[in-house]
């Protein structure tokens, strides 16, 4: 498949060629023909898949080849709007789109907070076809009437899940209310498709085509991902509590540091759980011994660091526990890859303290599915996990639009965790019949103390 086959204009093909794009990525292959045909798109794709070109190329082609309906008078109004969660992404998308459209004249600008209004006002006054904006600052412009969105023909919501995570839903709704309802094409890109995203799509899109690319880092569908919020100081006790439930279960426990894994192994051993640790400071012989003891069932728990675990060959484990979350989301996949192999079920449990919320968000984004967030009775954290404003690179956080924290009463009505609801994977594939009108409007399982992390 080539870009030419996808129906792109020669001016775009030339720019792509110069940038060394020889072949479309899977998301581009799926999205470009549908977008060029004018369909609304609900696309499951994350950063790194080539999603920017997937919406950017058809968007530019549309602007370049479809004449604007001439306004009776007044300045040129923007015809296309790309909403992004952060200013870094806005700048990145703008750069990419300028590169793709370098042989076409598409006046464009970015709009984001944290900088003066002057340049943005100038650009809007001069007139642009394409605006790439973060919701908060765009609202500011709407309020001072420096931008008129009544001429928008194409709308893109990029990283929609992240925008919702950052509390932008009310802003997005306000912006959408200012756009023309008729003859508008809407493309929504998101790594995950939790209920609020599907509701948004249902409300503002017209019969969207759903497409999805498999993320690079896939985790077996048979694995359950469970997160227990807990105060850092109580993690060891919680781990012991979990391990004690079934002392025969072979468990690989991940810790972030060598020192931490040694201390943890010692603590567990003293508490009566046969444990060994493997990490970079251990000799090859000691590592080998620990591993064969673990495989033979002479010890039940192996505490490992990421690096040490990379090389070890343990094929099938019923459960992996993250005592610390990895700082790099991909490491989560490597860790969890030890369980749920060959269609067998497995459980990935993560003990997450408040200061690890940002790592958890990155992991959930990468997994592209919900994880089950639930307290363990007796170990409820004093400081609940905050889902607000911890995304790396965040640029704007409108007051009063913070990401919702834990729902429901904090201290009361905690159900035993065995009763807490489970949540399924929320990928668009499973919802190929389209968003449900009644879906989760009442909040369903999300009310109460246990809810999925998005
Ligand atoms: P994105 O997912 O849009 O952030 O793109 C990730 C990276 O892939 C960017 O650096 C793009 O320039 C690059 N890219 C996107 N599409 C292609 C392609 N078809 N061939 C080569 N590189 C690409």
């Amino acid at each position: 498949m080539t870009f030419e086959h996808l129906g792109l204009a020669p001016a775009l093909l030339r720019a792509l060629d110069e940038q060394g794009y020889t072949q479309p990525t899977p998301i581009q292959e799926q999205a470009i023909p549908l977008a060029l045909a004018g369909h609304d798109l609900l696309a499951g794709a994350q950063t790194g898949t080539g999603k920017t070109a997937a919406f950017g190329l058809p968007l530019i082609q549309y602007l370049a080849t479809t004449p604007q309906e001439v306004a009776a008078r007044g300045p040129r109004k923007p015809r296309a709007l790309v909403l992004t969660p952060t200013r870094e992404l806005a700048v990145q998308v703008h750069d990419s789109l300028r590169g793709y459209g370098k042989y076409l004249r598409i006046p464009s600008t970015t709009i984001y907070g944290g900088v003066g209004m002057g340049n943005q006002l100038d650009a809007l006054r001069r007139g642009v076809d394409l605006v790439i904006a973060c919701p908060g600052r765009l609202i500011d412009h709407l309020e001072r009437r420096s931008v008129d969105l009544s001429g928008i023909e194409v709308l893109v919501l990029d990283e929609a899940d992240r925008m919702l995570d950052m509390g932008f839903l009310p802003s997005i709704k306000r912006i959408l209310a200012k756009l023309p309802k008729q003859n508008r094409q809407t493309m929504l890109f998101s790594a995950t498709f939790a209920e609020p995203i599907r509701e948004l799509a249902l409300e503002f899109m017209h019969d969207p085509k759903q497409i999805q690319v498999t993320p690079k880092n896939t985790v077996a569908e048979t694995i359950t991902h469970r997160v227990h919020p807990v105060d850092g100081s109580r993690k060891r006790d919680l781990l012991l509590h979990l391990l004690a439930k079934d002392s025969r279960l072979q468990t690989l426990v991940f810790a972030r540091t060598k020192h931490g894994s040694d201390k943890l192994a010692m603590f567990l051993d003293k508490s009566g759980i046969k444990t060994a640790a493997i990490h970079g400071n251990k000799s090859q012989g000691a590592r080998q011994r620990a591993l064969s003891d673990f495989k033979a069932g002479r010890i039940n728990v192996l505490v490992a660091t990421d690096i040490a675990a990379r090389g070890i060959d343990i094929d099938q484990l019923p459960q992996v526990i993250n005592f610390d979350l990895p700082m790099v989301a991909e490491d989560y996949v490597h860790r969890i890859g030890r369980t749920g192999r060959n269609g067998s079920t497995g459980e990935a449990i993560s003990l997450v303290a408040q200061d690890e919320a940002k790592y958890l968000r990155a992991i959930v984004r990468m997994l592209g599915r919900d994880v089950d967030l639930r307290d363990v009775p007796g170990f409820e954290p004093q400081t609940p996990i905050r889902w607000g404003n911890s995304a790396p690179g965040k640029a704007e956080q409108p007051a009063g639009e913070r990401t919702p924290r834990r729902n429901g009463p904090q201290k009361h009505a905690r159900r035993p965790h065995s009763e807490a609801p489970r949540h399924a994977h929320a990928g668009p594939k499973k919802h190929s019949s389209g968003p449900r009108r009644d879906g989760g409007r009442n909040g369903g399982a999300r009310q109460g103390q246990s809810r999925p992390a998005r």
Side-chain angles (χ1 to χ4, degrees):
M1 179 67 74
T2 64
F3 282 107
E4 216 166 343
H5 286 122
L6 298 180
L8 291 173
L12 288 170
L13 295 175
R14 193 168 149 210
L16 291 176
D17 190 48
E18 281 174 18
Q19 296 195 24
Y21 289 21
T22 51
Q23 224 181 310
T25 65
I27 194 72
Q28 291 161 5
E29 238 178 78
Q30 294 180 55
I32 292 172
L34 289 170
L36 286 175
H39 290 290
D40 279 5
L41 283 189
L42 199 52
Q46 43 209 182
T47 301
T49 53
K51 66 180 171 61
T52 313
F55 64 74
L57 294 168
L59 169 62
I60 294 169
Q61 178 145 325
Y62 175 82
L63 293 176
T65 55
T66 317
Q68 182 172 27
E69 280 179 30
V70 184
R73 63 192 125 108
R76 187 190 197 114
K77 294 187 215 165
R79 303 178 62 196
L81 171 66
V82 180
L83 286 178
T84 70
T86 66
R87 80 176 185 212
E88 286 79 1
L89 187 60
V91 169
Q92 194 182 304
V93 168
H94 192 216
D95 287 348
S96 299
L97 267 46
R98 271 205 297 211
Y100 304 143
K102 68 187 276 201
Y103 295 112
L104 298 162
R105 220 192 79 74
I106 312 282
S108 59
T109 192
T110 47
I111 286 184
Y112 48 73
V115 295
M117 281 277 195
N119 288 343
Q120 296 171 11
L121 289 170
D122 286 348
L124 291 169
R125 234 176 268 130
R126 277 196 306 274
V128 290
D129 281 348
L130 170 61
V131 170
I132 295 143
C134 297
R137 178 56 72 89
L138 188 59
I139 294 274
D140 293 345
H141 281 281
L142 281 171
E143 279 171 357
R144 54 156 76 196
R145 295 178 191 279
S146 45
V147 67
D148 178 354
L149 299 179
S150 66
I152 294 293
E153 296 158 62
V154 185
L155 168 72
V156 178
L157 297 165
D158 193 12
E159 303 201 356
D161 50 348
R162 208 161 151 209
M163 286 200 274
L164 265 53
D165 277 350
M166 290 173 69
F168 281 132
L169 186 60
S171 298
I172 291 174
K173 290 197 167 173
R174 278 179 71 188
I175 292 163
L176 287 166
K178 300 282 181 195
L179 306 183
K181 310 252 172 310
Q182 302 293 320
N183 302 326
R184 188 189 80 211
Q185 182 181 29
T186 306
M187 297 185 256
L188 184 153
F189 282 70
S190 189
T192 56
F193 281 90
E195 197 59 40
I197 305 255
R198 278 181 277 123
E199 281 184 17
L200 191 69
L202 182 72
E203 215 174 319
F204 294 102
M205 297 176 87
H206 175 69
D207 191 20
K209 300 280 178 208
Q210 299 197 23
I211 56 175
Q212 165 85 22
V213 290
T214 320
K216 261 188 300 180
N217 299 299
T218 45
V219 174
E221 291 278 335
T222 48
I223 297 176
T224 313
H225 302 265
R226 186 146 40 97
V227 169
H228 296 314
V230 62
D231 289 331
S233 59
R234 301 215 57 212
K235 274 191 176 185
R236 291 198 331 184
D237 293 333
L238 175 56
L239 178 64
L240 196 58
H241 171 82
L242 294 173
L243 292 171
K245 274 206 233 155
D246 188 348
S247 56
R248 291 155 307 159
L249 215 58
Q250 294 291 102
T251 305
L252 184 58
V253 175
F254 281 94
R256 205 175 294 147
T257 64
K258 297 169 197 168
H259 183 59
S261 51
D262 267 339
K263 276 201 337 199
L264 191 58
M266 242 148 51
F267 166 77
L268 293 175
D269 214 48
K270 273 197 195 138
S271 309
I273 292 185
K274 292 183 200 138
T275 310
I278 53 167
H279 55 68
N281 284 0
K282 298 252 174 184
S283 70
Q284 190 61 27
R287 285 201 235 177
Q288 223 43 63
R289 222 167 20 252
L291 200 55
S292 53
D293 282 350
F294 185 61
K295 281 182 177 177
R298 288 187 290 274
I299 57 171
N300 298 106
V301 174
L302 191 62
V303 183
T305 57
D306 286 294
I307 305 289
R310 282 281 161 88
I312 63 175
D313 157 41
I314 311 170
D315 210 29
Q316 181 49 47
L317 281 169
Q319 75 175 3
V320 169
I321 298 183
N322 294 307
F323 182 77
D324 301 309
L325 276 188
M327 287 152 83
V328 179
E330 280 76 17
D331 282 341
Y332 182 87
V333 176
H334 291 137
R335 291 179 177 189
I336 299 318
R338 317 267 162 187
T339 183
R341 287 193 183 170
N342 307 324
S344 63
T345 53
E347 196 159 38
I349 299 170
S350 300
L351 313 189
V352 180
Q354 207 264 325
D355 60 358
E356 294 174 295
K358 54 184 177 296
Y359 306 135
L360 180 59
R361 287 158 51 107
I363 289 164
V364 172
R365 236 185 349 256
M366 190 197 59
L367 287 175
R369 70 173 90 166
D370 292 346
V371 300
D372 182 9
L373 183 74
R374 61 171 85 177
D375 291 339
V376 177
F379 293 92
E380 297 89 348
Q382 303 254 318
T383 327
I385 292 188
R386 287 175 57 133
W387 292 94
N389 216 3
S390 54
K394 50 97 184 160
E396 299 194 333
Q397 181 75 8
E401 294 185 8
R402 309 253 178 252
T403 307
R405 295 181 202 163
R406 178 182 304 276
N407 296 336
Q410 295 294 298
K411 296 215 173 89
H412 313 292
R414 290 188 188 280
R415 278 176 258 154
H417 82 276
S418 55
E419 286 174 33
R422 295 195 158 266
H423 297 281
H425 165 65
K429 267 192 207 151
K430 293 204 169 161
H431 304 280
S432 54
S433 58
R436 284 181 10 237
R437 254 177 211 289
D438 62 341
R441 282 222 190 266
N442 297 328
R446 271 149 218 216
Q447 292 176 342
Q449 88 290 10
S450 173
R451 62 179 178 80
R454 279 183 293 103

